[in-house]
């Protein structure tokens, strides 16, 4: 396995130096070979249950996939969405409060989507309408949401925890027949309803972005807004609608923290998941399917470090948490293919 990984790395470096296109099979074969060898070594004295490892990875990747999809949509439309972290956090807050008040976790999911869209609306107001630097607006929104939710948690939720911060959790719901498929069933079809919503959202976003007129317009305003405006596409209106949808999707990811992971909201409970989702967007080359796979890789690494710690593996847990970020750096550097954002990403459009 070591020899194979070294050979693949050498071939990737050769192609990069020669400015040749990186074939997709190189990173796939490398990842499979490296992971097989690594797991064989790390679990030499212990046992790793593959179903638990992969099923846990899917569960931990829920907010990352939702956040990555929101990031892909926003940047495909030409808006850099640094505020994914804020959308996840406000979504978690709104989901906990609404589910507690109504007694329905489904109402909490709707509230999470609305909260994410609200953050996106503020982002659009400053970045699209008033041409403020999009990165700065995103950073400010993240800080604002952290401060707002911390204040509300301390002043409102803590004194009234029984009525405002005790939501019903979303429980795992196995799908009949599909859940009984060997290996695949327990991993993919014995999850919480939020995971099944995630499957539908990934499929719809991937289809809509590349197979519909709406998706063509979104990609047009992200690549060449002036040309899009010339053929009659309302650039800023399209960007507004797209980032509102992106914010709602990211907000759904926030519901994972307060309705699935734990029952209730806590301060800064997202733990930087929005920034990991941004890394997944870059690693996935601004494509919804690839970004989803990148987010699953991050979820796998997070779950693996916990499993290895539980079986007493000699591998430091910090190494596993660091690994996806190293892979992302290699991706941006071109070792696993060129990573190019949409041409007008982050560029405000002023209609002539």
């Amino acid at each position: 396995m070591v020899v194979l990984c070294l050979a693949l790395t050498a071939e990737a470096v050769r192609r990069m130096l020669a400015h040749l296109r990186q074939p997709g099979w190189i990173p796939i074969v490398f990842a499979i070979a490296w992971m097989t060898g690594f797991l064989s070594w790390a679990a030499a004295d212990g046992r790793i249950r593959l179903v638990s490892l992969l099923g846990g990875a899917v569960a931990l990747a829920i907010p990352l996939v939702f956040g990555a999809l929101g990031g892909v949509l926003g940047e495909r439309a030409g808006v850099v969405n640094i505020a994914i972290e804020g959308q996840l956090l406000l979504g978690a807050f709104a989901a906990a409060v609404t589910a507690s008040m109504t007694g329905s976790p489904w109402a909490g999911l709707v509230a999470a989507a609305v909260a994410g869209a609200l953050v996106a609306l503020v982002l659009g107001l400053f970045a699209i309408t008033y041409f403020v630097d999009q990165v700065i607006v995103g950073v400010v929104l993240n800080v604002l949401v952290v401060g707002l939710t911390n204040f509300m948690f301390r002043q409102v939720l803590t004194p009234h925890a029984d009525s405002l911060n005790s939501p019903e959790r979303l429980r795992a719901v196995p799908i009949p027949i599909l859940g009984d498929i060997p290996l695949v069933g327990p991993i993919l079809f014995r999850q919480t309803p939020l995971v099944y919503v995630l499957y539908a959202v990934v499929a719809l976003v991937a289809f809509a972005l590349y197979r519909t007129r709406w998706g063509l317009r979104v990609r047009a305003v992200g690549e060449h807004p002036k040309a899009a405006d010339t053929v009659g596409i309302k650039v800023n209106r399209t960007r507004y609608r797209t980032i509102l949808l992106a914010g709602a999707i990211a907000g759904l990811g926030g519901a994972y923290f307060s309705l699935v992971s734990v029952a209730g909201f806590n301060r800064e409970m997202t733990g930087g998941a929005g920034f990991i989702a941004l890394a997944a967007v870059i690693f996935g080359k601004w494509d919804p399917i690839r970004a989803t796979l990148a987010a699953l890789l991050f979820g796998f690494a997070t779950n693996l470090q916990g499993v290895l710690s539980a079986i007493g593996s000699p591998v430091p847990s910090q190494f596993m948490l660091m690994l996806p970020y190293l892979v992302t750096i290699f991706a941006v550097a071109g070792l696993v293919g060129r990573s190019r954002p949409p041409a007008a990403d982050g560029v405000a459009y002023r209609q002539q």
Side-chain angles (χ1 to χ4, degrees), residues 60-86:
L60 290 174
I62 293 173
L64 305 182
V65 176
F66 276 116
L69 290 176
V72 167
L73 283 177
E75 299 206 22
R76 278 290 186 173
V79 179
V80 177
N81 190 3
I82 302 295
I84 297 176
E85 176 74 7

Side-chain angles (χ1 to χ4, degrees), residues 1-9 29-30 33:
M1 292 298 179
V2 174
V3 175
L4 178 59
C5 290
L6 290 176
L8 292 171
T9 302
V29 175
F30 179 90

Side-chain angles (χ1 to χ4, degrees), residues 123-177:
L123 172 65
L125 179 65
F126 286 97
I128 299 175
T129 303
Y130 295 109
F131 313 116
V132 181
D133 185 275
Q134 297 173 9
V135 175
I136 294 176
V137 175
V139 172
V140 171
L141 283 175
N142 287 333
V143 176
L144 174 63
V145 172
V146 169
L148 177 63
T149 53
N150 283 350
F151 173 80
M152 294 298 291
F153 176 79
R154 184 173 61 251
Q155 299 294 329
V156 180
L157 296 191
T158 301
H160 307 90
D162 292 339
S163 59
L164 295 180
N165 199 23
S166 299
E168 179 184 348
R169 292 180 65 178
L170 287 170
R171 304 292 180 179
V173 179
I175 297 180
I177 302 177

Side-chain angles (χ1 to χ4, degrees), residues 1-39:
M1 292 298 179
V2 174
V3 175
L4 178 59
C5 290
L6 290 176
L8 292 171
T9 302
E11 176 64 15
V13 172
R14 185 189 70 81
R15 288 177 173 273
M16 183 186 67
L17 295 177
H19 301 288
L20 298 176
R21 180 179 176 272
Q22 295 282 4
W25 61 266
I26 289 182
I28 295 175
V29 175
F30 179 90
I32 294 174
W34 185 90
M35 190 57 63
T36 302
F38 176 78
L39 290 178

Side-chain angles (χ1 to χ4, degrees), residues 297-330:
L297 172 64
F298 282 80
F300 176 80
T302 303
N303 194 42
L304 181 59
Q305 65 92 17
V307 171
L308 293 180
S309 299
I311 66 174
S313 172
V315 181
S317 60
Q318 294 83 357
F319 173 78
M320 292 309 305
L321 291 175
M322 174 182 68
L323 184 62
Y325 302 98
L326 291 178
V327 175
T328 303
I329 293 174
F330 291 146

